[in-house]
Amino acid sequence: MRTSKTTLTVLLLSLFSSTLYSQELLNFTVKGKVTHNFDEYIYLSYAAKVDSFLVKDNRFEFEGQVPNRLEAKVHTKGGYVTDSFYLDDGTTTVSVSIKDKVTSIESIEGNKTHETLMGLKAFFEDNEDEPDFQNQMYKRLDKIISENPSSQFSGSLLGEIIMDPIFSFEEAMSLYSKLDTTVQDEFDLSAMKVSLDKLKNSKIGKQFSPITLPDMNGNMVGIDDYKGSFLLVEFWASWCGGCRVANPELVDIRREFISKGFDIMGISLDENRTAWLTAIEKDGLTWENTIAEGGFKNETIENLKIQYLPSNYLLDRNGKIVAINISPKILRIKLKELMGEEE
């Protein structure tokens, strides 16, 4: 992904972090309660370890030591979970509900890592549209990762955030280089490598890939069909809640700007054709809709490294990328800006 010199620097930083933090042991206690009557065993899973505790009076407790902040899950035997948290030094108090073998966390208290995450989420929601958001977000992440390079929380956090191109490839690599990769979750590392590759090759100003996919009638529709127009390439699916929420706004934006040379090409990752067609009709989608058969495993989707939905690319009249994963609110502003520049 980088020159051999830079790659060596990353490896040395990881080795240094691993040596520096290898002796750190965190003593954790997890005190929990079930919000309803439950008198069976409950389990705490982290790394390759599973601890058990027989719930009494709807209460349970786990204690142990971990070499760094590891992701953990509370669950029933053979059950499922909707949430996880990170084992941290000291006592973490959790409240859980269990329904149909699915364990959900209702609240978490006394956990510094969780508090850090909540603070970061609040900052994101309050400042996402501010001009200096990218710089401030980078500083916050840099501080978290620099202070906790061996924490799996740092790797998971970075992996999730760089899926969205908030940062440039160089900024994302700078943050990645500060992680102790020897202790990170393999899934997170794999996701980060995909994201870094995408950031490197799908930059603003680059030509978008000349993809072609079948529409509702089996006719092939390609990016080249829209040459001369500003085009939003929108990746979505009928099962994607965020996509369905955005659809009415996109309908309005297309209606407002189509006469000025703007259009949308929908690319669905649905594997259920009926659900796809029903969603198009229900949401009143007026643009060309194509489908990437096979969903995330479709060759086109894999080549573009689409990792989540909704995702999109805004292209200029020549097919070059001018924005990535742009919200409807910012899309409207961006189109006015681009079209104003032409006048």
Side-chain angles (χ1 to χ4, degrees):
M1 291 182 292
R2 280 186 157 193
T3 64
S4 58
K5 181 178 179 181
T6 306
T7 304
L8 179 60
T9 302
V10 173
L11 292 173
L12 289 174
L13 281 169
S14 298
L15 179 60
F16 173 73
S17 298
S18 177
T19 303
L20 182 62
Y21 288 87
S22 61
Q23 301 305 313
E24 178 188 13
L25 283 178
L26 303 178
N27 297 292
F28 72 84
T29 299
V30 177
K31 291 186 176 182
K33 68 174 181 179
V34 183
T35 58
H36 50 86
N37 290 332
F38 186 83
D39 56 5
E40 301 175 29
Y41 276 97
I42 202 164
Y43 300 84
L44 178 72
S45 296
Y46 55 97
K49 189 171 183 178
V50 180
D51 289 342
S52 63
F53 191 96
L54 181 60
V55 178
K56 296 179 181 179
D57 299 324
N58 298 326
R59 303 276 175 173
F60 59 88
E61 183 172 330
F62 296 98
E63 293 182 340
Q65 286 186 326
V66 287
N68 53 68
R69 290 167 178 81
L70 299 177
E71 184 177 16
K73 298 175 182 179
V74 173
H75 58 92
T76 58
K77 185 176 182 179
Y80 308 94
V81 298
T82 59
D83 317 277
S84 62
F85 63 99
Y86 287 83
L87 298 174
D88 213 332
D89 218 11
T91 300
T92 297
T93 302
V94 299
S95 175
V96 304
S97 63
I98 303 171
K99 184 178 180 180
D100 298 328
K101 299 186 75 173
V102 177
T103 303
S104 302
I105 297 177
E106 301 294 327
S107 65
I108 300 176
E109 297 178 1
N111 187 292
K112 293 180 181 178
T113 303
H114 182 71
E115 291 171 2
T116 298
L117 178 59
M118 291 299 100
L120 196 63
K121 283 187 175 180
F123 171 79
F124 191 102
E125 292 169 1
D126 294 341
N127 298 276
E128 185 178 3
D129 296 330
E130 295 299 319
D132 197 37
F133 170 71
Q134 179 178 331
N135 184 46
Q136 292 300 318
M137 189 68 169
Y138 180 86
K139 288 180 179 178
R140 286 171 178 260
L141 272 182
D142 185 59
K143 186 174 187 296
I144 292 170
I145 294 172
S146 295
E147 292 178 354
N148 305 279
S150 61
S151 170
Q152 286 190 352
F153 169 68
S154 295
S156 178
L157 184 62
L158 181 60
E160 183 173 339
I161 288 178
I162 65 173
M163 282 187 185
D164 206 5
I166 296 171
F167 304 127
S168 67
F169 169 72
E170 291 74 19
E171 289 171 325
M173 272 302 297
S174 175
L175 294 172
Y176 178 80
S177 71
K178 296 177 183 181
L179 283 174
D180 177 359
T181 56
T182 64
V183 297
Q184 299 301 324
D185 180 82
E186 287 298 321
F187 178 84
D188 290 333
L189 287 174
S190 178
M192 278 186 273
K193 289 174 182 177
V194 171
S195 296
L196 288 167
D197 189 44
K198 182 166 66 174
L199 284 172
K200 184 178 181 180
N201 295 294
S202 299
K203 292 182 178 180
I204 304 297
K206 278 200 169 188
Q207 201 74 27
F208 190 70
S209 302
I211 59 176
T212 303
L213 291 164
D215 67 8
M216 295 182 290
N217 300 311
N219 300 317
M220 301 306 289
V221 178
I223 297 298
D224 288 343
D225 297 334
Y226 296 89
K227 276 286 181 67
S229 297
F230 290 104
L231 178 67
L232 183 73
V233 185
E234 181 76 6
F235 299 87
W236 72 294
S238 63
W239 46 260
C240 166
C243 306
R244 304 298 295 276
V245 169
N247 277 343
E249 296 181 83
L250 294 179
V251 169
D252 288 342
I253 291 172
R254 183 175 186 267
R255 185 184 301 118
E256 180 180 349
F257 290 98
I258 189 170
S259 63
K260 300 176 182 178
F262 167 72
D263 213 335
I264 300 173
M265 177 180 173
I267 299 178
S268 170
L269 272 67
D270 275 293
E271 296 188 44
N272 184 321
R273 183 178 176 84
T274 300
W276 170 50
L277 296 175
T278 300
I280 290 172
E281 182 178 0
K282 186 173 183 179
D283 293 359
L285 307 188
T286 54
W287 50 84
E288 286 280 8
N289 274 280
T290 65
I291 188 165
E293 296 176 351
F296 284 100
K297 294 182 180 180
N298 180 278
E299 184 179 1
T300 295
I301 300 304
E302 288 187 335
N303 289 341
L304 290 170
K305 297 178 173 57
I306 302 299
Q307 296 165 282
Y308 65 94
L309 301 178
S311 290
N312 61 53
Y313 288 87
L314 177 63
L315 312 182
D316 69 10
R317 297 188 190 279
N318 298 310
K320 292 183 177 180
I321 301 169
V322 292
I324 304 173
N325 292 347
I326 189 169
S327 68
K329 176 183 176 181
I330 303 303
L331 172 61
R332 180 177 267 109
I333 295 171
K334 187 69 175 176
L335 286 174
K336 288 179 179 178
E337 174 189 311
L338 291 169
M339 292 173 179
E341 290 174 356
E342 294 182 334
E343 296 175 355

